[in-house]
Amino acid sequence: MVDSEAHLKKFQKELSAGTVSLVLLAVLARAGEPLYGYLIAKQLERTGDGVLAGKQSALYPVLRNLEGGGLLDSFVEPSVSGPPRRYYRITDAGRQVLQSWAAAWRATRDSVDSALEGIPA
Amino acid sequence: MNATAPMNARPLPTTIPEYLEQLRAALKGADPAMVQDALYDAEEYLRSELAEQAGRSEAEVIASVAGSYGAPEEVAEIYRETEVTVNRALRQPRPPKRRSLPGRFFGVVADPYTYGALFYMLLSLATGVFYFTWVTTGASLSAGLLILIIGVPLLLLFLMSVRLLSLVEGRIVETLLGVRMPRRPLYTQRDKPWLKRLGELFTDWRTWTAMGYMLLMLPLGVAYFSAVVTLLATSVGLMAAPFAALLGHAGAGIYLDGISFSLADDWRIAIAAFLVGFLLLFATLHLARLVGHFHGWLAKNLLVRDPVV
C-alpha cells in the first residue's frame, strides 16, 4: 500500500510540472484583467482538482518563470493589507504559446484516454 | 499531494513573522536570491489571506493556510524543487560542453552569455557613471543638509533609492550575465514600528555595500569599456590586414608611439596578422565571459541582502 502511494506521489509531481504552467496561462488569458498571486491561487482552489489541488506555494515560482520566458508580464501596485502586490497578465507571445500548448494538451488527453479505455477506474 | 503534513515538522507558527522565520530556516543554505523570493511570495499570500478572513486570529489563519499554501517545511521543499524543474523547462538549453581544447576555445561563440557579458561591459560605462554620480550627489547633499531639518528626509529617500537601484542593477546582471538575483524587493517586517524599520536602513550593512558597489562601478565601468573597445578594435584591425594588402594600401599598419609595424606590405605578414587578430578576437570573448563571471559574483555578494525577517 505504502509503495503505491509513493508511486502516485511521484506520478502527480511529474504530471503537474507542465500542466500547472498551462493552467496558469489559461486562467490569466480568461481573466481579462491582471491578477496577483493570491487571487490566482484562489481561482485554482475553487476549480482545481487532481494534481492542481497541490500546495499553492508551488504556483509562485511558476508564475515568475513564465514571466522570465516572456509569456507573462507584470507590474507592482501597493496594497493596504501587505507587501506591494505583483499583478500578472498574459502577453501576446503567451497567448500564442497557450494556443499551441492547448492543442498539444488536447491531443495528449485524447490519446491517453483512448489508451486507458476499458481499464477500470 | 494534499494532506501529507510531515510528522516531524516543528509546531505550526502562530504569527506571520514566525512563519517567515521558519521558512527561512527551512531554506537555509539555498540561493539567497531564491530565499528572498520565497519569503516575499509567502508574505503576500499570508497577508492577503489574513485580510480576506477578517475576524479570525492570525494563528487560525496560519493553521488553515498550512493546508492550502503549505507548512514552512513543505514550502521550502517546493521552492527547492520547482525552481529547478521550471528553470530547466523554460530556460534556453545551455550549449553542449565541448571536450577538446580547440572546441572549448572556439565554443565560446555559442554561449549567449558571452555576448551578454560583452554588452554589459559596454553598458557599464554608462551605468557606472550614473550610479557614481547618484551616490556621491545623494550622499553629499543629504549629509550637507543634515544640519537643517530637510536633510533627514532627504537622507532616508537617498538610502531607499540605493535599495531600488540595487534591485534594478540586479535585474540587469541577471539578464546579461545569467547570475540569479532577487526579482522582488525585500518587503518584510511590517509588524515592526516604522521608526525601527527606518533604523534598519542604517544598520543593514547591505545598504552600505550596495553603495560601495555603485561607487566601484565607475572605475570598473571605465576599465571594462576601455578593455572591450581596445581589444575589439585591435583584433578587427589586425584581421583587416590582408584586405588592406589586397586593395593596395601598402604601409597600412599599427603606429604606436613613433614605432610603426606595417602589416600590409608583405603577404605573409598580412596573413599572420589576420591569424593573430582572429585568435585575439576569441581571446576577447573569453575575457568577456570571465569578466561576466567575476562581475556576477561581485554583484551577488555586494547587492543581495541576507533576508532578515
Side-chain angles (χ1 to χ4, degrees):
Chain A
M1 274 327 272
V2 175
D3 204 22
S4 101
E5 190 174 302
H7 280 299
L8 177 64
K9 270 197 87 169
K10 182 167 178 290
F11 178 68
Q12 281 176 334
K13 194 189 287 175
E14 286 166 0
L15 195 57
S16 73
T19 43
V20 169
S21 304
L22 173 62
V23 169
L24 287 178
L25 275 188
V27 165
L28 284 164
R30 278 203 341 210
E33 57 175 357
L35 297 177
Y36 57 94
Y38 177 79
L39 280 187
I40 299 171
K42 286 294 144 184
Q43 284 223 356
L44 280 187
E45 192 179 49
R46 274 199 295 278
T47 57
D49 232 330
V51 296
L52 298 174
K55 296 287 182 240
Q56 292 165 9
S57 43
L59 303 178
Y60 287 80
V62 182
L63 281 173
R64 189 174 312 124
N65 281 291
L66 287 171
E67 187 192 3
L71 307 184
L72 301 180
D73 68 16
S74 74
F75 59 93
V76 176
E77 249 178 44
S79 94
V80 285
S81 64
R85 284 170 179 156
R86 185 166 290 269
Y87 285 80
Y88 289 95
R89 74 189 145 210
I90 191 164
T91 61
D92 290 340
R95 282 183 200 280
Q96 280 175 19
V97 165
L98 174 61
Q99 277 199 349
S100 58
W101 284 8
W105 164 258
R106 291 191 177 111
T108 312
R109 183 200 56 198
D110 290 348
S111 58
V112 169
D113 275 352
S114 69
L116 288 177
E117 225 160 80
I119 294 181
Chain B
M1 221 159 150
N2 253 347
T4 47
M7 284 293 120
N8 57 351
R10 288 197 283 166
L12 216 53
T14 51
T15 66
I16 289 175
E18 259 177 53
Y19 183 100
L20 298 176
E21 182 57 48
Q22 282 196 18
L23 178 57
R24 187 162 70 101
L27 279 167
K28 200 164 187 249
D31 187 338
M34 192 249 270
V35 177
Q36 187 163 325
D37 285 352
L39 292 173
Y40 186 90
D41 295 340
E43 188 174 18
E44 191 238 64
Y45 189 95
L46 292 172
R47 299 265 174 217
S48 303
E49 185 79 43
L50 192 63
E52 203 73 12
Q53 307 200 15
R56 295 177 69 187
S57 75
E58 209 168 321
E60 282 175 330
V61 169
I62 288 178
S64 75
V65 155
S68 57
Y69 191 76
E73 282 83 4
E74 294 172 284
V75 174
E77 187 67 17
I78 285 169
Y79 270 79
R80 283 181 204 275
E81 276 176 10
T82 320
E83 194 76 8
V84 175
T85 37
V86 181
N87 270 348
R88 214 183 287 142
L90 286 171
R91 281 270 169 86
Q92 305 275 337
R94 302 297 306 251
K97 271 247 178 287
R98 278 162 234 262
R99 297 246 165 262
S100 65
L101 198 64
R104 286 220 302 264
F105 184 69
F106 293 113
V108 70
V109 285
D111 186 349
Y113 288 125
T114 304
Y115 304 102
L118 213 53
F119 184 68
Y120 184 86
M121 289 171 80
L122 292 173
L123 186 72
S124 63
L125 181 67
T127 53
V129 169
F130 174 75
Y131 294 151
F132 185 88
T133 317
W134 188 267
V135 168
T136 43
T137 313
S140 48
L141 201 63
S142 42
L145 286 176
L146 267 185
I147 48 164
L148 305 173
I149 199 73
I150 184 98
V152 179
L154 213 56
L155 180 65
L156 293 175
L157 271 180
F158 167 62
L159 291 182
M160 285 187 253
S161 78
V162 167
R163 289 225 179 145
L164 184 72
L165 279 182
S166 58
L167 195 72
V168 171
E169 171 70 8
R171 302 310 306 144
I172 299 177
V173 165
E174 181 170 335
T175 313
L176 293 178
L177 306 181
V179 178
R180 180 84 167 74
M181 298 290 278
R183 300 162 197 206
R184 298 275 191 285
L186 193 69
Y187 205 90
T188 45
Q189 313 157 333
R190 296 196 62 83
D191 294 332
K192 296 187 187 168
W194 62 273
L195 258 180
K196 191 163 179 220
R197 278 196 273 150
L198 285 183
E200 273 165 8
L201 271 178
F202 295 91
T203 52
D204 178 14
W205 63 283
R206 285 291 169 194
T207 311
W208 307 104
T209 54
M211 225 180 272
Y213 174 89
M214 284 168 189
L215 292 178
L216 202 61
M217 275 299 282
L218 181 69
L220 282 180
V222 171
Y224 292 163
F225 184 88
S226 325
V228 165
V229 170
T230 314
L231 286 170
L232 282 184
T234 311
S235 44
V236 172
L238 284 172
M239 283 169 72
F243 303 101
L246 200 67
L247 296 173
H249 287 287
I254 296 178
Y255 301 90
L256 198 67
D257 241 0
I259 312 165
S260 69
F261 309 90
S262 61
L263 300 171
D265 289 348
D266 188 335
W267 269 106
R268 280 163 301 180
I269 295 180
I271 297 292
F274 178 85
L275 288 177
V276 170
F278 187 71
L279 291 179
L280 187 64
L281 184 65
F282 278 84
T284 307
L285 294 183
H286 272 285
L287 178 76
R289 198 160 61 161
L290 205 68
V291 166
H293 283 310
F294 162 72
H295 198 88
W297 170 84
L298 188 75
K300 186 141 206 159
N301 279 283
L302 293 182
L303 296 182
V304 179
R305 196 157 87 102
D306 247 8
V308 281
V309 178

